[in-house]
Amino acid sequence: MSFHFLRNKKISFKVKVLIPLIIIFILSVLFITYIDYRMLSSAVRRKTNTNLEMFANNIITQINHLDIILGSAKQTLNEKHIAIAKTVVYILENTSQRIKPEELQYIAELLDISEINIANREGFIINSNIPEFIGDDYINNEITEIYMILADGTALSLSEEPRATIMPDSSLGSITHFTGITIPGGGFVQLGFNANVIAELQNQINIDKTINETRIGDNGYGFIISQGIITAHPDNAYLDRDVSGESWYKEVRNGSGFVWINKDNELYYAGFKNVNNNTIIGLVPRSDYYLDLNKILAETVRLLIFSITFIFIVMLLLLEKLLSPIKHLVYGLGKIAESNLNVRIEGNYNDEFDNIKDAVNSMADDIKEHMNLVSGIEYAAKIQKNLLPPVSLFNEAFEDYSCIWKPKDIVGGDIYWMKNFSEGTVLCVCDCTGHGTPGALLTMLVSSAFEAVVTQKNYKDTAEIIWELEKRLVEELNVDTNAGERGLIINDGCDLAVLFINKSGSVKISSGNTNVFICDGEKTKRFKGQKIRVGEGLIKNKDDIKTIEIPSNPDNKYYITSDGLYEQIGCSENGKTGKNETEMFPFGFARLEKIILENHKEKQSIISEKIFFEFEKFRGNSPRRDDLQLISFKPRIIS
């Protein structure tokens, strides 16, 4: 949430305090209302679920009761019809002549049988009281093929559930209970008995009446679906409707539970159970479901608003007294933020605000003193930056070059110096002891010394330049070379590399604790500096300083960097930023050499940018440890 408008000076301080309080109060009301809503909603859901469960269980009880009665009736029918079937088989066994269909019809009427079908061992009907059935078979009909187990005497008798008979014209006949009895010697007799007694028993328990009279809440109701067809509903217009294609039916056709459904373009909360191929559904309209919830919620919100309004009025009365010292403090801090460091907060508060007032006034004095100090250091930084060689010297000496110079603080201990002569260029890259102000003071001294010791007589002799610099610094730093003690407490001096770049392309290098990298596109070679520090007074003569010479090569590029680059710690060994220094390792030489070699054909500025990018990425959140400078160049070869 943004409060930028509170910065408007035209808005009073009291209003600026009240606005956040009002917002907090509103958010509190919304939060508490939301919590109450969740709790009340849960209670309403439990109550509704209980009502839906009771409705479904009532229907299930009646269905189970009906199943028990029908099961008993079917068992009685089975026993009765099997006894009659045995009688028919006995008659057939003891009749020498083939009985005609009309005679079978007489027997059927006598025994109250609707069908008598006699089948041979192969399952074909060879005689029937319904002549149209003669010639039909039981083999290819999935409903009747179960009788084939009677044909060879595998089973003696078989009774089926009551079902509608299929007449010769493919129409449905009456509800019939079928019984089959095997005939000794092969074949079987199938008898069909009128089963309307089952339908009469079903009508004795009227589930429709329960559906019509049961209400779930004020407007809720229930209904029953069997295999996608509505079989019981309080509205007769819905009976026998096929709902198998409805999206809500797919949610309730299996298992049991509760779910929100959209039925007839209205949202309902539904409880459902599936039992014996029936789906029992109870519906509560959305308006009914939320009716009690909204009533309780409205009362809760009214109570909350009243309570918070009362608290707000009380706070408003106390706010004026509380804000008086705060306004004075805010005014003073605002002036300090506007750089008015002469401001003073007045007043006696006789409490903790007196301590805050004194702290703010003292802070203004401290900031003023600090700003004066920082202003002086920033001016020193401008002077130090002006000591660096101008771009024109680099353009004159080199075909391509790049310079990165980044002090750790406002000023630093790294510096580079160069001067062009008739036969070539002297480049000195120097890392003075320390960083910040002490290091910066030494850089000014070293830069001045370079101007004095690099002359027309010695500019080709890099060892001579270092030796002359050593003698001058020892003198100016008041180093006692006999006792090995320094006139200053700091470990003053510098690490440096001195290069003479001949216009023919060859390069002489003398170095103390400073690495020089040379890349020809095939490999990168590192020349380690000697373990000497210029200015300590430990170099005895010029012969202690070594010089190497690199032959001219148009592919050579040179890189000189201070230890602030390769000694910087950052990522741990697994590539992640370590939690402490013991888990980290330095940027190192290998990473630097790899970047130099892989990008050899790029411009020096691009190579330097990639090196610094990888440096920053490697450093991550780790603080800079030291000043950083990287001077790179490709010599301009003049034949």
Side-chain angles (χ1 to χ4, degrees), residues 583-599:
E583 296 180 359
M584 301 181 188
F585 64 100
F587 188 83
F589 299 118
R591 195 185 310 273
L592 176 61
E593 291 171 359
K594 183 174 182 289
I595 299 171
I596 290 172
L597 183 60
E598 288 180 349
N599 297 278

Side-chain angles (χ1 to χ4, degrees), residues 240-298:
D240 298 324
R241 178 180 293 186
D242 186 350
V243 295
S244 59
E246 301 285 344
S247 59
W248 58 264
Y249 175 67
K250 297 174 183 177
E251 298 185 58
V252 303
R253 63 184 176 185
N254 295 312
S256 302
F258 303 93
V259 68
W260 285 97
I261 65 173
N262 193 315
K263 179 179 178 295
D264 298 333
N265 296 322
E266 187 173 351
L267 194 62
Y268 291 89
Y269 184 68
F272 59 95
K273 282 191 175 183
N274 283 273
V275 59
N276 296 344
N277 295 321
N278 292 297
T279 302
I280 303 166
I281 302 177
L283 299 180
V284 175
R286 184 177 185 274
S287 56
D288 280 14
Y289 181 90
Y290 285 106
L291 183 63
D292 292 339
L293 175 62
N294 292 337
K295 288 180 181 178
I296 300 173
L297 198 59

